[in-house]
Amino acid sequence: ALVLALAALSPALVHAGNREIAQQIGGTMRDSGQLANYNINVKYSNGTAWLAGRVTSQQQMAAAVAIAEQCPDVSKVVNQLA
């Protein structure tokens, strides 16, 4: 209960959670084996993941979006990949 109260009072703790989730999404992409020669930046806030950067094909773009959509904390993906 104390941790929840601190998270509610401290925006810095909330942002740390967002960074952790973004890192988890990026790690899941890396570990999936579905992407190669890519550069994707992931940002996350309040259920939305933003993907920006470069992939080498439409298949990789679709895979990156699908991986992000499957992450438990993600309810929306904004695809800004090229």
Side-chain angles (χ1 to χ4, degrees), residues 25-58:
I25 295 167
T28 301
M29 287 182 189
R30 183 179 55 250
D31 296 342
S32 74
Q34 298 181 53
L35 304 171
N37 301 318
Y38 68 98
N39 182 8
I40 299 176
N41 296 309
V42 180
K43 292 184 181 178
Y44 175 87
S45 181
N46 298 323
T48 300
W50 286 267
L51 308 182
R54 173 190 57 77
V55 292
T56 57
S57 67
Q58 290 294 327

Side-chain angles (χ1 to χ4, degrees), residues 14 17-19 21-22 25 42-51 65 67-79:
V14 173
N18 289 339
R19 276 194 302 274
I21 293 169
I25 295 167
V42 180
K43 292 184 181 178
Y44 175 87
S45 181
N46 298 323
T48 300
W50 286 267
L51 308 182
V65 170
I67 291 166
E69 288 174 338
Q70 292 171 6
C71 291
D73 295 305
V74 175
S75 57
K76 178 181 178 183
V77 175
V78 177
N79 179 4

